[in-house]
Amino acid sequence: VAKRTQRHLVRYQPAFEREVTERLDLDQALRRALARQEFRVAYQPVCDLKTGLPVGAEALVRWERPGVGLVSPAQFIGVAEDNGLIRPLGEWVLREACRQAGLWRASGLGLLSVAVNVSPVQLADPGFTGAVEAALTDFALPPRALSLEVTEQVAVTDLREAGQRLSALRGLGVRISLDDFGTGQSSLAVLRHLPIDTLKLDQSFVRDVPGEPAAQAVISALLTLTAGLGLHVVAEGVETQAHREALLGLGGGAAQGYAFSPPLPPDAFQRWWLAQMD
Ligand code: C2E
Ligand code: CA
Ligand code: CA
Ligand code: CA
């Protein structure tokens, strides 16, 4: 038994150390990546469920890591939040998305709005509102054309404070979206107390329609609730035609997902958009 325990320890130790080392490597590599301009922004269309026509785009960060390839944000946003790099990285994404949206609008693309994800770490930064204002001014983007996506994570420590920060941002004229709705705990309190324009229904709901009556009932009730609150809705993760038709049957709104388009690099996004408008 002693021998087996020992062997277990011997195997466990290096694995743990490897994990720590990998995280330190990632920390260093992310810092270098920002300086070396290895980040990109992909744009995923947001479409009207009924017409299928695009109405906006969500900006999603990508890391082109040399020798590795495209790294998913799921693998580095958490580390960037822990080491604070999310502040400069998030500001870079914000400015890049505003720059691109400004170019598209000026070229007559008809892009109604661009959505940018905002980490709770960024929202807690007193300089964030100023950075948003500067990005809008610098790229001549009308505030209405920018939507900031936050999750209910922003409200875990202090719902009131989060409400005040979001109200200040909304005072600039930008819109606020509540992302991943339905995945957390306190969703209804958050809905009542945060100044929100749009609710993004998490893909975990969408995945099970049609077919699962409970999922349909939840979505249907949420659509009634959001209509009552005067909120817009975007369904996430609409992957198939069946998802799309089921959502349309439940009341519609806007949607995002592979049924319309995956996130695309800017040039491909522009080609896709123009093809839809033909
Ligand atoms: P999110 O904000 O919920 O973004 C939607 C995610 O769903 C994206 O993953 C998108 O590629 C993916 N997706 C789109 N359509 C479909 C579909 O039909 N089916 C499925 N299964 N997935 C779909 P992505 O780009 O890997 O981003 C993952 C998460 O990373 C985002 O989730 C967001 O929370 C975070 N993220 C991405 N960019 C940024 C950023 O610039 N700042 C911050 N703070 N977070 C970001
Ligand atoms: Ca989002
Ligand atoms: Ca989401
Ligand atoms: Ca998410």
PDB file of all heavy atoms in Angstrom, residues 58 60 117 149 151 178-181 183 200-203 236-237 256, ligand 3:
ATOM      1  N   GLU A  58     -20.863  40.789 -33.113  1.00  0.00           N
ATOM      2  CA  GLU A  58     -20.165  40.701 -31.831  1.00  0.00           C
ATOM      3  C   GLU A  58     -18.670  40.542 -32.103  1.00  0.00           C
ATOM      4  O   GLU A  58     -18.261  39.702 -32.907  1.00  0.00           O
ATOM      5  CB  GLU A  58     -20.658  39.511 -30.990  1.00  0.00           C
ATOM      6  CG  GLU A  58     -19.880  39.403 -29.664  1.00  0.00           C
ATOM      7  CD  GLU A  58     -20.398  38.329 -28.719  1.00  0.00           C
ATOM      8  OE1 GLU A  58     -21.339  37.590 -29.076  1.00  0.00           O
ATOM      9  OE2 GLU A  58     -19.834  38.237 -27.601  1.00  0.00           O
ATOM     10  N   LEU A  60     -15.133  39.278 -31.075  1.00  0.00           N
ATOM     11  CA  LEU A  60     -14.600  38.193 -30.236  1.00  0.00           C
ATOM     12  C   LEU A  60     -13.085  38.125 -30.430  1.00  0.00           C
ATOM     13  O   LEU A  60     -12.602  38.000 -31.558  1.00  0.00           O
ATOM     14  CB  LEU A  60     -15.261  36.864 -30.616  1.00  0.00           C
ATOM     15  CG  LEU A  60     -16.760  36.803 -30.318  1.00  0.00           C
ATOM     16  CD1 LEU A  60     -17.474  35.775 -31.190  1.00  0.00           C
ATOM     17  CD2 LEU A  60     -16.990  36.503 -28.824  1.00  0.00           C
ATOM     18  N   ASN A 117     -17.327  42.497 -25.569  1.00  0.00           N
ATOM     19  CA  ASN A 117     -17.400  41.859 -24.249  1.00  0.00           C
ATOM     20  C   ASN A 117     -16.571  42.629 -23.231  1.00  0.00           C
ATOM     21  O   ASN A 117     -15.434  43.020 -23.513  1.00  0.00           O
ATOM     22  CB  ASN A 117     -16.890  40.423 -24.339  1.00  0.00           C
ATOM     23  CG  ASN A 117     -17.821  39.544 -25.148  1.00  0.00           C
ATOM     24  OD1 ASN A 117     -18.862  39.123 -24.672  1.00  0.00           O
ATOM     25  ND2 ASN A 117     -17.461  39.298 -26.403  1.00  0.00           N
ATOM     26  N   GLU A 149     -21.198  44.133 -23.614  1.00  0.00           N
ATOM     27  CA  GLU A 149     -21.753  42.890 -23.065  1.00  0.00           C
ATOM     28  C   GLU A 149     -21.109  42.563 -21.726  1.00  0.00           C
ATOM     29  O   GLU A 149     -19.896  42.415 -21.630  1.00  0.00           O
ATOM     30  CB  GLU A 149     -21.536  41.728 -24.047  1.00  0.00           C
ATOM     31  CG  GLU A 149     -22.229  41.961 -25.376  1.00  0.00           C
ATOM     32  CD  GLU A 149     -22.386  40.693 -26.203  1.00  0.00           C
ATOM     33  OE1 GLU A 149     -21.870  39.626 -25.797  1.00  0.00           O
ATOM     34  OE2 GLU A 149     -23.039  40.772 -27.260  1.00  0.00           O
ATOM     35  N   THR A 151     -21.633  40.054 -18.065  1.00  0.00           N
ATOM     36  CA  THR A 151     -22.364  38.932 -17.484  1.00  0.00           C
ATOM     37  C   THR A 151     -22.800  39.338 -16.076  1.00  0.00           C
ATOM     38  O   THR A 151     -22.342  40.353 -15.538  1.00  0.00           O
ATOM     39  CB  THR A 151     -21.492  37.666 -17.360  1.00  0.00           C
ATOM     40  OG1 THR A 151     -20.446  37.930 -16.435  1.00  0.00           O
ATOM     41  CG2 THR A 151     -20.905  37.279 -18.703  1.00  0.00           C
ATOM     42  N   LEU A 178     -26.870  41.984 -21.326  1.00  0.00           N
ATOM     43  CA  LEU A 178     -26.568  40.993 -20.293  1.00  0.00           C
ATOM     44  C   LEU A 178     -26.320  39.661 -20.990  1.00  0.00           C
ATOM     45  O   LEU A 178     -27.221  39.082 -21.594  1.00  0.00           O
ATOM     46  CB  LEU A 178     -27.725  40.905 -19.302  1.00  0.00           C
ATOM     47  CG  LEU A 178     -27.469  40.054 -18.055  1.00  0.00           C
ATOM     48  CD1 LEU A 178     -26.288  40.595 -17.258  1.00  0.00           C
ATOM     49  CD2 LEU A 178     -28.720  40.011 -17.176  1.00  0.00           C
ATOM     50  N   ASP A 179     -25.054  39.226 -20.918  1.00  0.00           N
ATOM     51  CA  ASP A 179     -24.575  38.056 -21.665  1.00  0.00           C
ATOM     52  C   ASP A 179     -24.845  36.769 -20.893  1.00  0.00           C
ATOM     53  O   ASP A 179     -24.972  36.790 -19.664  1.00  0.00           O
ATOM     54  CB  ASP A 179     -23.064  38.233 -21.875  1.00  0.00           C
ATOM     55  CG  ASP A 179     -22.540  37.477 -23.086  1.00  0.00           C
ATOM     56  OD1 ASP A 179     -23.294  36.689 -23.687  1.00  0.00           O
ATOM     57  OD2 ASP A 179     -21.362  37.697 -23.427  1.00  0.00           O
ATOM     58  N   ASP A 180     -24.898  35.649 -21.605  1.00  0.00           N
ATOM     59  CA  ASP A 180     -24.987  34.310 -21.004  1.00  0.00           C
ATOM     60  C   ASP A 180     -26.157  34.191 -20.035  1.00  0.00           C
ATOM     61  O   ASP A 180     -26.065  33.482 -19.019  1.00  0.00           O
ATOM     62  CB  ASP A 180     -23.694  33.968 -20.228  1.00  0.00           C
ATOM     63  CG  ASP A 180     -22.455  33.994 -21.104  1.00  0.00           C
ATOM     64  OD1 ASP A 180     -22.607  33.966 -22.330  1.00  0.00           O
ATOM     65  OD2 ASP A 180     -21.348  34.040 -20.546  1.00  0.00           O
ATOM     66  N   PHE A 181     -27.252  34.896 -20.316  1.00  0.00           N
ATOM     67  CA  PHE A 181     -28.348  34.899 -19.362  1.00  0.00           C
ATOM     68  C   PHE A 181     -28.906  33.494 -19.155  1.00  0.00           C
ATOM     69  O   PHE A 181     -29.171  32.771 -20.106  1.00  0.00           O
ATOM     70  CB  PHE A 181     -29.484  35.831 -19.803  1.00  0.00           C
ATOM     71  CG  PHE A 181     -30.574  35.926 -18.785  1.00  0.00           C
ATOM     72  CD1 PHE A 181     -30.420  36.725 -17.669  1.00  0.00           C
ATOM     73  CD2 PHE A 181     -31.745  35.184 -18.908  1.00  0.00           C
ATOM     74  CE1 PHE A 181     -31.405  36.799 -16.700  1.00  0.00           C
ATOM     75  CE2 PHE A 181     -32.735  35.254 -17.944  1.00  0.00           C
ATOM     76  CZ  PHE A 181     -32.565  36.061 -16.837  1.00  0.00           C
ATOM     77  N   THR A 183     -27.333  31.246 -17.043  1.00  0.00           N
ATOM     78  CA  THR A 183     -26.311  30.310 -16.570  1.00  0.00           C
ATOM     79  C   THR A 183     -25.969  30.524 -15.095  1.00  0.00           C
ATOM     80  O   THR A 183     -25.353  29.682 -14.475  1.00  0.00           O
ATOM     81  CB  THR A 183     -25.006  30.439 -17.383  1.00  0.00           C
ATOM     82  OG1 THR A 183     -24.588  31.805 -17.341  1.00  0.00           O
ATOM     83  CG2 THR A 183     -25.225  30.016 -18.824  1.00  0.00           C
ATOM     84  N   LYS A 200     -29.024  38.460 -23.619  1.00  0.00           N
ATOM     85  CA  LYS A 200     -28.540  37.402 -24.498  1.00  0.00           C
ATOM     86  C   LYS A 200     -28.802  36.045 -23.861  1.00  0.00           C
ATOM     87  O   LYS A 200     -28.221  35.712 -22.826  1.00  0.00           O
ATOM     88  CB  LYS A 200     -27.059  37.609 -24.810  1.00  0.00           C
ATOM     89  CG  LYS A 200     -26.830  38.922 -25.564  1.00  0.00           C
ATOM     90  CD  LYS A 200     -25.462  39.017 -26.162  1.00  0.00           C
ATOM     91  CE  LYS A 200     -25.345  38.233 -27.443  1.00  0.00           C
ATOM     92  NZ  LYS A 200     -24.050  38.465 -28.109  1.00  0.00           N
ATOM     93  N   LEU A 201     -29.721  35.319 -24.478  1.00  0.00           N
ATOM     94  CA  LEU A 201     -30.134  34.012 -23.963  1.00  0.00           C
ATOM     95  C   LEU A 201     -29.027  33.006 -24.190  1.00  0.00           C
ATOM     96  O   LEU A 201     -28.632  32.754 -25.329  1.00  0.00           O
ATOM     97  CB  LEU A 201     -31.345  33.523 -24.744  1.00  0.00           C
ATOM     98  CG  LEU A 201     -32.733  33.705 -24.201  1.00  0.00           C
ATOM     99  CD1 LEU A 201     -33.706  32.874 -25.022  1.00  0.00           C
ATOM    100  CD2 LEU A 201     -32.782  33.283 -22.736  1.00  0.00           C
ATOM    101  N   ASP A 202     -28.534  32.402 -23.140  1.00  0.00           N
ATOM    102  CA  ASP A 202     -27.423  31.474 -23.272  1.00  0.00           C
ATOM    103  C   ASP A 202     -27.767  30.276 -24.155  1.00  0.00           C
ATOM    104  O   ASP A 202     -28.908  29.822 -24.193  1.00  0.00           O
ATOM    105  CB  ASP A 202     -26.990  30.980 -21.893  1.00  0.00           C
ATOM    106  CG  ASP A 202     -25.684  30.221 -21.976  1.00  0.00           C
ATOM    107  OD1 ASP A 202     -24.666  30.873 -22.248  1.00  0.00           O
ATOM    108  OD2 ASP A 202     -25.694  28.985 -21.806  1.00  0.00           O
ATOM    109  N   GLN A 203     -26.732  29.773 -24.807  1.00  0.00           N
ATOM    110  CA  GLN A 203     -26.961  28.673 -25.753  1.00  0.00           C
ATOM    111  C   GLN A 203     -27.422  27.383 -25.083  1.00  0.00           C
ATOM    112  O   GLN A 203     -27.962  26.508 -25.744  1.00  0.00           O
ATOM    113  CB  GLN A 203     -25.720  28.428 -26.608  1.00  0.00           C
ATOM    114  CG  GLN A 203     -24.492  28.040 -25.829  1.00  0.00           C
ATOM    115  CD  GLN A 203     -23.263  27.980 -26.754  1.00  0.00           C
ATOM    116  OE1 GLN A 203     -22.992  28.910 -27.504  1.00  0.00           O
ATOM    117  NE2 GLN A 203     -22.541  26.885 -26.690  1.00  0.00           N
ATOM    118  N   GLU A 236     -28.401  32.979 -28.339  1.00  0.00           N
ATOM    119  CA  GLU A 236     -27.042  32.581 -28.695  1.00  0.00           C
ATOM    120  C   GLU A 236     -26.975  31.114 -29.088  1.00  0.00           C
ATOM    121  O   GLU A 236     -27.794  30.309 -28.653  1.00  0.00           O
ATOM    122  CB  GLU A 236     -26.118  32.759 -27.492  1.00  0.00           C
ATOM    123  CG  GLU A 236     -26.051  34.142 -26.927  1.00  0.00           C
ATOM    124  CD  GLU A 236     -24.842  34.263 -26.007  1.00  0.00           C
ATOM    125  OE1 GLU A 236     -23.731  34.498 -26.532  1.00  0.00           O
ATOM    126  OE2 GLU A 236     -25.008  34.109 -24.799  1.00  0.00           O
ATOM    127  N   GLY A 237     -25.976  30.785 -29.872  1.00  0.00           N
ATOM    128  CA  GLY A 237     -25.731  29.380 -30.199  1.00  0.00           C
ATOM    129  C   GLY A 237     -26.815  28.750 -31.053  1.00  0.00           C
ATOM    130  O   GLY A 237     -27.140  27.578 -30.898  1.00  0.00           O
ATOM    131  N   GLN A 256     -27.845  34.620 -32.986  1.00  0.00           N
ATOM    132  CA  GLN A 256     -26.444  34.536 -33.339  1.00  0.00           C
ATOM    133  C   GLN A 256     -26.094  33.056 -33.340  1.00  0.00           C
ATOM    134  O   GLN A 256     -26.574  32.328 -32.484  1.00  0.00           O
ATOM    135  CB  GLN A 256     -25.670  35.200 -32.205  1.00  0.00           C
ATOM    136  CG  GLN A 256     -24.476  35.990 -32.566  1.00  0.00           C
ATOM    137  CD  GLN A 256     -23.846  36.597 -31.321  1.00  0.00           C
ATOM    138  OE1 GLN A 256     -24.561  37.143 -30.479  1.00  0.00           O
ATOM    139  NE2 GLN A 256     -22.555  36.492 -31.203  1.00  0.00           N
TER     140      GLN A 256
HETATM  141 CA    CA B   3     -22.755  34.583 -24.391  1.00  0.00          CA
END
